[in-house]
Amino acid sequence: MKEAVTRFTTDALVIKEMNVGESDRLVTLFTRDYGIIRAFASGTKNLKSKKASGTSLLTFSSVSVAKRGDTYKIYEAQPIRMFFKAGSDIIRLSVSQYFCELALELAPAGTPNEELLRLILNSLHFLTEDGREPALIKAITELRAASVSGYMPNLVACCSCGKFEDDIMRFDLLNGQIYCSDCRGNGELVNIDRTLLTAMRHIIYSEFKNLYSFTIPDNSAKLLSDITGRYITAQTEHRFSTLDFYNSVKE
């Protein structure tokens, strides 16, 4: 007896694609309603295919899917937003692809995570359309993604004495907490000045509508980006190949 086929339509960001055979594509979708799913899209390498653009990497689409057992097949895909401008700049493209790998690592399969999807989509917008410093958008995305995925650091005050801030605080990458200059920590510590601490607190604690509403000098943004990249790598214990690539080309 054949398993019943269920059909649904949802919005989704294509975060990974792989060619299958001569004409088909296997795509990984970060969907609004079902979290991460992997689905086949037949005939997408045909230039006349109506599904080709809607199943391309870094495209946000309305997808109609047929599910039989554990197999998903896309029978319609209409692009809503295509982030192709990322491809004109190797730095922005590498950060965009890193955001896709972040989503793949942090979003649970089959479970919706609209807050993380919203973050990734907004970051792609600011990265590709707004002209903001890529390092700053990367840092915002990493730290906020960590925070909404169970890895939120405690940046309220020194975890030892309760001091709110110092000219130089020390951030513990392994335990996600801060120390003032008078207190000693036992983790992997990096120095953060007032600018970085204020930025990190804003990223973690602000309402989403205000998340991107700040700027810091480019040199501070690059330092923050390095710290947040190390932090999320330490917390997830995952080696992000796209982050390695970004680090190899960012200079």
Side-chain angles (χ1 to χ4, degrees):
M1 182 176 177
K2 291 185 177 181
E3 293 185 86
V5 176
T6 58
R7 297 176 183 270
F8 60 87
T9 298
T10 186
D11 296 338
L13 176 68
V14 181
I15 60 174
K16 190 175 182 179
E17 62 178 356
M18 182 176 68
N19 291 328
V20 178
E22 296 182 356
S23 61
D24 301 340
R25 182 182 287 159
L26 175 64
V27 296
T28 302
L29 304 172
F30 188 2
T31 72
R32 188 183 302 281
D33 302 301
Y34 303 94
I36 301 292
I37 65 172
R38 291 170 176 81
F40 289 96
S42 60
T44 50
K45 294 181 70 176
N46 186 325
L47 294 178
K48 296 182 180 180
S49 172
K50 295 181 179 181
K51 294 179 287 187
S53 59
T55 57
S56 298
L57 185 66
L58 292 171
T59 300
F60 185 58
S61 301
S62 173
V63 294
S64 297
V65 180
K67 179 179 183 292
R68 172 178 285 167
D70 295 327
T71 301
Y72 297 85
K73 291 185 178 180
I74 298 171
Y75 60 90
E76 189 173 351
Q78 295 294 331
I80 299 171
R81 177 74 179 275
M82 304 174 77
F83 297 100
F84 283 173
K85 289 186 179 180
S88 62
D89 182 317
I90 187 61
I91 299 297
R92 295 180 192 276
L93 177 60
S94 64
V95 175
S96 298
Q97 292 176 329
Y98 173 48
F99 290 168
C100 292
E101 189 177 359
L102 269 179
L104 188 59
E105 174 66 20
L106 296 175
T111 303
N113 190 333
E114 190 163 356
E115 189 172 6
L116 181 59
L117 177 60
R118 182 186 182 192
L119 172 67
I120 298 296
L121 290 173
N122 276 268
S123 291
L124 286 171
H125 164 76
F126 281 103
L127 186 67
T128 60
E129 300 290 339
D130 196 68
R132 300 279 291 276
E133 167 58 50
L136 180 59
I137 301 303
K138 170 182 169 291
I140 291 172
T141 308
E142 287 170 321
L143 197 52
R144 188 72 170 215
S147 298
V148 302
S149 303
Y151 303 107
M152 179 186 286
N154 180 5
L155 302 182
V156 174
C158 173
C159 66
S160 183
C161 72
K163 189 173 184 179
F164 182 68
E165 67 181 16
D166 233 337
D167 286 338
I168 296 295
M169 302 285 277
R170 291 174 294 168
F171 179 48
D172 184 343
L173 296 171
L174 298 180
N175 298 301
Q177 53 198 17
I178 54 174
Y179 296 89
C180 71
S181 57
D182 297 323
C183 296
R184 300 181 63 181
N186 297 318
E188 185 178 347
L189 305 178
V190 293
N191 290 338
I192 54 175
D193 60 19
R194 291 179 185 270
T195 297
L196 295 184
L197 179 58
T198 299
M200 292 170 74
R201 283 172 170 163
H202 177 88
I203 294 168
I204 292 173
Y205 301 123
S206 67
E207 294 184 26
F208 190 88
K209 64 181 181 180
N210 299 321
L211 179 58
Y212 301 89
S213 62
F214 75 98
T215 58
I216 56 177
D218 286 355
N219 61 329
S220 295
K222 291 174 181 177
L223 180 57
L224 179 60
S225 172
D226 178 67
I227 292 170
T228 55
R230 292 171 62 188
Y231 177 70
I232 202 164
T233 299
Q235 294 301 308
T236 60
E237 298 182 334
H238 177 79
R239 184 71 177 266
F240 294 93
S241 60
T242 49
L243 178 59
D244 289 340
F245 180 75
Y246 164 76
N247 286 329
S248 72
V249 301
K250 65 181 179 181
E251 299 303 331

